[in-house]
Amino acid sequence: MSGIVTAVLLSLLSAAGYALAAVAQSRLARATAPGRRGLRSLAARPLWWWAVGLNAAAALAHVGALHHGPLVLVQPLGALSLVAALPLAARHARRRVHRTEWRGALATLAGLGALVAVTGPTPPGESLSAAESLGVAAAAALLITALARGRGLGYATASGIASGVASALTQTVTAAVAAGGAAGSAWWVTALVAALVAAFAAGGLLLSQAAYRVGLAAPLAVVNLANPAAAAVIGVLLLGETFRMGAWGWLVAAGAAALAARGVVLLSRGTARAAVTPAGARPEGAREACSGDAGAPPLPPPVAAG
């Protein structure tokens, strides 16, 4: 029981860290220019390094939570970063969280929780081989490159995939080190996979920074979804994982993905509405009533000619 409590506490700490980091990154995204010039500007800002540190601390807390508790508990709790980030960002923007945003966040969390719940566990001791790790890294790099050509949610999807691949490769490195090196592989192969972990983790962070240029809620939701989805695909294809309940499990997973996608759509709409009509702003009719011509009588209709 104490292990479950520890997993819950670490998961909540991880979610809080990711939420604070996401809010900081969102603020920086609106204040920096895109491209290399923007990267140099980020490096000169202390807030950026606070965000990097928060992301690193949250990742360590997440790993610790997975050590003490099952994935079906830890992953949905980690997604609470979305719920925490909404009021934090709204407070900074001096507005209220739109009702549509709350609905989108709940739909996203429900979809993610259902998706993780029907995903079967990895068989004990299973991890990617060196060849599989390099193949996954190459395929992921091509997919991320294609997604990064777009904007906004394309960046967010690429960020989540990069983070999910980094997690899968981390498991490979950990297993190789514990076994004294990858079976049938030289030490430099393990070192190469470790370097790929660092590259995908750093790439995921920079891609999320670019994604937050279009807002916070929807990109953060997509990152939270794409990360476990990428890990689940790797697990099903290469590690012998499967969906529980057979064919019904696949149907539940499809429904969960659709529900989560609906949540992302609602988050995008809610953020757009909040940006157009912030809290405290008067509706259009009220603004007209307070204008200088509000007290003037209406103009008479035009007289028809002839």
Side-chain angles (χ1 to χ4, degrees):
M1 186 64 181
S2 61
I4 296 297
V5 173
T6 303
V8 170
L9 292 176
L10 288 174
S11 296
L12 294 177
L13 286 174
S14 176
Y18 279 129
L20 290 171
V23 173
Q25 287 182 262
S26 178
R27 290 173 56 187
L28 289 168
R30 294 190 295 268
T32 55
R36 295 181 180 179
R37 182 179 180 182
L39 291 178
R40 289 194 297 267
S41 177
L42 284 175
R45 291 175 176 267
L47 183 60
W48 163 250
W49 294 109
W50 274 107
V52 172
L54 285 169
N55 274 304
L60 290 176
H62 183 72
V63 171
L66 288 173
H67 177 72
H68 292 282
L71 179 65
V72 293
L73 171 68
V74 172
Q75 193 68 50
L77 287 176
L80 289 176
S81 59
L82 176 60
V83 178
L86 283 177
L88 288 173
R91 181 178 180 182
H92 178 263
R94 297 181 180 180
R95 67 173 179 86
R96 294 181 179 179
V97 180
H98 199 278
R99 182 170 53 186
T100 306
E101 291 177 292
W102 283 125
R103 289 170 54 200
L106 293 177
T108 302
L109 290 175
L112 177 59
L115 184 63
V116 172
V118 298
T119 303
T122 302
E126 287 292 327
S127 62
L128 297 175
S129 65
E132 289 173 336
S133 298
L134 296 178
V136 166
L142 291 175
L143 180 57
I144 289 170
T145 300
L147 289 170
R149 291 178 179 176
R151 294 182 180 181
L153 297 185
Y155 283 130
T157 306
S159 173
I161 292 174
S163 299
V165 171
S167 298
L169 297 182
T170 298
Q171 184 183 18
T172 300
V173 173
T174 302
V177 172
S185 301
W187 63 268
W188 60 268
V189 177
T190 302
L192 175 59
V193 177
L196 289 173
V197 170
F200 277 107
L205 179 63
L206 293 176
L207 285 166
S208 66
Q209 180 66 56
Y212 291 138
R213 291 187 179 278
V214 299
L216 173 66
L220 182 57
V222 172
V223 170
N224 279 327
L225 285 170
N227 186 332
V233 169
I234 294 172
V236 170
L237 295 181
L238 299 175
L239 297 178
E241 292 185 5
T242 185
F243 290 115
R244 295 185 176 94
M245 302 182 296
W248 286 106
W250 287 90
L251 290 176
V252 172
L259 179 60
R262 174 62 177 169
V264 173
V265 172
L266 290 174
L267 284 168
S268 299
R269 291 177 180 175
T271 302
R273 290 176 182 176
V276 172
T277 309
R282 299 178 203 147
E284 191 68 24
R287 285 198 302 268
E288 292 176 359
C290 293
S291 63
D293 296 332
L299 294 175
V303 180

